[in-house]
Amino acid sequence: MTTYDTFRHFADSWGLLALVVMFIAAVGWAFRPGSSAIHDELSRLPLRDED
């Protein structure tokens, strides 16, 4: 088995699983309870210094 085949097998199985888990964790972090206050503050950041 070549190195390419080894990496391809890893990417097709465990690599995909790792990326799905990281995606779910990122979505969970963004929509966690209590984060709406932070998101509201950050959404007003570009307009904070305008007169």
Side-chain angles (χ1 to χ4, degrees):
M1 187 177 265
T2 65
T3 304
Y4 173 79
D5 291 332
T6 303
F7 284 128
R8 176 68 190 260
H9 177 69
F10 175 78
D12 285 344
S13 57
W14 294 106
L16 179 62
L17 179 64
L19 289 175
V20 169
V21 168
M22 285 189 284
F23 177 77
I24 291 172
V27 170
W29 181 262
F31 291 106
R32 72 189 187 280
S35 67
S36 63
I38 295 170
H39 292 299
D40 290 339
E41 180 183 343
L42 291 176
S43 70
R44 288 188 222 101
L45 188 62
L47 304 175
R48 184 178 296 170
D49 293 333
E50 290 198 14
D51 294 311

